[in-house]
């Protein structure tokens, strides 16, 4: 394991594909029960490509499955290979496939919709009820993830890459697609102001895409100082705000406002008390205070933003899924603005909806993405153009790299933290198969 990622995997030898062959796969059998196993893979079927998976980034949902064998209310009920942020190389081409050749570098879009329902025909295939998504337990049999040496995947969901996009950046096209979809739903006007709650991978990319879309100020907030500093210093956001953690401090969680949102309060004497003892009104008061502090960060550098009649940001992107952060989002958004629900977390939340109702704040949800990979590739290609704001180099988001599927367990353990044993920032952990 290397503490930082500075090198791309070297040139690979394309395997000779017979009708069936054996591959290695990282397979989860239960909480933290990750095993390296051998599987049989057939030659690609009509319409499929066989991809030698090069790089896979570890997502927060992967970590949840690893720790609990579940993600939210989705519980795995059979062994499951994780991984869905991936790039690789075409090593075999099935019948009826055109436009690809052996050795093509590709990014994998891993959600496979039915393509036939009304939702799919309208282009919103991310909402297809028959969607099969790699590494998710929603469908059964589970659609196995990309932490395998090779997979067969529909060619229409393999996106060819130009040579100037690295395998790391190509893997990050998956969370970048979430960010693109969120900003598309928000539809910011030029000069808009934005706030992003949560400075994980999706939060960082959402902030960058908000800037790309013309937002004049983008403030990012998180409980982790290192992530906020990274966001501002690397150009993902224009301003940063570190959320105070007076009740406790933890290096194992990056969830914004985690001390409140976890459902328990831990006073200074270390005795945990039920979250129900904290009145709902006090949580709202806390959210109001946080919102005011976050808004003031950008306003302090631009007097025109400090207007009582126009208090708040145009758009807030809530990237944590935490109830207290939704409270903060509503209070931080100006009348007539928008709150975009990006993060998936607490499924049932109690919200002060009158704040949105009486101030005509639109609350918009997003689920994954649709029709975004081509956009993401164009955005990455524009990084070297130097014209206007360009997306920061995504390669620098990869802070740790593990080589070989046999080292996947260490990768998952590290991905659940915000700093490594040497105190270095942990942001995106990747596994090179």
């Amino acid at each position: 394991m290397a503490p930082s990622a500075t090198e791309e995997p070297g040139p690979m030898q394309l395997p000779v594909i017979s009708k069936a062959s054996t591959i290695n796969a990282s397979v989860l059998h239960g909480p933290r029960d990750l095993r390296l196993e051998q599987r049989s893979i057939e030659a690609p079927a009509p319409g499929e490509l066989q991809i030698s998976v090069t790089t896979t980034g570890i997502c927060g949902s992967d970590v949840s499955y690893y720790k609990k064998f579940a993600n939210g209310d989705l519980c795995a009920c059979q062994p499951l290979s994780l991984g869905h942020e991936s790039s690789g190389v075409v090593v075999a081409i099935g019948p009826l496939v055109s436009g690809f050749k052996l050795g093509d570098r590709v990014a994998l879009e891993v959600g496979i919709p039915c393509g036939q329902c009304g939702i799919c025909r309208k282009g919103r295939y991310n909402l297809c009820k028959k969607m099969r998504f790699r590494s998710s337990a929603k469908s059964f049999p589970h659609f196995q993830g990309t932490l395998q040496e090779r997979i067969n995947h529909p060619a229409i969901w393999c996106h060819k890459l130009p040579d100037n996009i690295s395998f790391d950046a190509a893997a990050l096209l998956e969370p970048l697609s979430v960010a693109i979809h969120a900003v598309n739903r928000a539809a910011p006007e030029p000069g808009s102001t934005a706030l992003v709650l949560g400075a994980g991978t999706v939060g960082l990319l959402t902030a960058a895409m908000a800037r790309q879309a013309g937002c004049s100020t983008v403030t990012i907030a998180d409980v982790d100082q290192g992530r906020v500093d990274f966001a501002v210093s690397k150009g993902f956001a224009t301003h940063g705000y570190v959320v105070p953690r007076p009740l406790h401090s933890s290096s194992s969680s990056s969830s914004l406002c985690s001390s409140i949102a976890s459902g328990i309060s831990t006073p200074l004497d270390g005795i945990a008390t039920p979250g129900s003892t904290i009145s709902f009104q006090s949580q709202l008061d806390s959210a109001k205070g946080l919102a005011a502090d976050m808004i003031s960060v950008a306003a302090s550098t631009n007097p025109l933003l400090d207007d009582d009649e126009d208090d708040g940001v145009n758009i807030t992107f809530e990237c944590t899924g935490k109830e207290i952060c939704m409270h903060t989002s509503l209070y931080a958004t100006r009348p007539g603005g928008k709150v975009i629900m990006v993060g998936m977390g607490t499924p049932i939340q109690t919200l002060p909806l009158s704040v949105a109702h009486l101030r005509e704040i639109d609350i918009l949800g997003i689920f994954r993405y649709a029709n975004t990979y081509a956009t993401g590739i164009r955005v990455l290609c524009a990084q070297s153009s130097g014209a206007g704001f360009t997306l920061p180099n995504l390669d620098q988001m990869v802070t740790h790299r593990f080589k070989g599927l046999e080292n996947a367990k260490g990768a998952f353990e590290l991905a659940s933290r915000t700093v490594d044993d040497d105190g270095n920032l942990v942001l995106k952990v990747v596994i090179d198969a």
Side-chain angles (χ1 to χ4, degrees), residues 71-90:
N71 181 36
D73 58 357
L74 297 178
C75 299
C77 51
Q78 65 178 170
L80 177 65
S81 282
L82 299 175
H84 56 267
E85 300 177 2
S86 295
S87 57
V89 175
V90 176

Side-chain angles (χ1 to χ4, degrees), residues 260 275 278-288 323-324 327:
I260 300 175
I278 304 175
S279 73
F280 183 63
Q281 186 58 50
S282 70
Q283 291 188 31
L284 297 183
D285 291 341
S286 175
K288 287 180 185 178
E323 181 180 271
I324 184 64
H327 298 168

Side-chain angles (χ1 to χ4, degrees), residues 25 36 51 55 71 78 109 140 150 165 179 197 209 219 242 250 258 290 293 295 311 356 370 407:
L36 185 66
I51 307 299
T55 300
N71 181 36
Q78 65 178 170
E109 185 170 354
F140 186 88
R150 284 179 274 134
I165 295 181
L197 301 189
M209 285 308 304
T219 303
V242 180
S250 170
S258 58
L290 280 173
D293 290 344
I295 294 168
D311 195 23
N407 294 312

Side-chain angles (χ1 to χ4, degrees), residues 171-188:
L172 285 166
L173 275 168
E174 202 277 339
L176 179 61
S177 285
V178 175
I180 292 170
H181 188 52
V183 173
N184 284 345
R185 292 273 283 159

Side-chain angles (χ1 to χ4, degrees), residues 47-49 100 108-109 112 134 143 152-158:
E48 288 186 338
L49 297 172
F100 290 90
L108 298 173
E109 185 170 354
I112 312 301
R134 288 192 182 273
F143 197 16
N152 292 328
H153 200 67
I156 61 171
W157 303 112
C158 297

Side-chain angles (χ1 to χ4, degrees), residues 114-196:
C114 75
Q116 304 298 320
C117 66
I119 288 289
C120 285
R121 291 197 297 271
K122 290 178 181 178
R124 303 186 71 176
Y125 59 83
N126 56 313
L127 305 179
C128 175
K129 292 182 179 180
K130 297 181 180 179
M131 168 73 75
R132 298 174 66 240
F133 195 89
R134 288 192 182 273
S135 77
S136 171
K138 186 173 183 178
S139 60
F140 186 88
H142 302 333
F143 197 16
Q144 299 297 306
T146 55
L147 284 176
Q148 308 179 67
E149 288 180 328
R150 284 179 274 134
I151 62 170
N152 292 328
H153 200 67
I156 61 171
W157 303 112
C158 297
H159 301 273
K160 287 202 293 187
L161 300 168
D163 292 338
N164 64 325
I165 295 181
S166 69
F167 283 120
D168 288 346
L172 285 166
L173 275 168
E174 202 277 339
L176 179 61
S177 285
V178 175
I180 292 170
H181 188 52
V183 173
N184 284 345
R185 292 273 283 159
E189 296 178 356
S192 295
T193 56
L195 171 66
V196 177

Side-chain angles (χ1 to χ4, degrees), residues 56-59 85 397-402 410-412 414-416 426-431:
T56 297
I58 297 179
C59 173
E85 300 177 2
M397 295 179 67
V398 178
T399 56
H400 296 77
R401 181 186 305 280
F402 287 74
F412 278 96
L414 184 61
S416 65
V426 175
L427 188 54
K428 177 56 67 174
V429 178
V430 302
I431 299 172

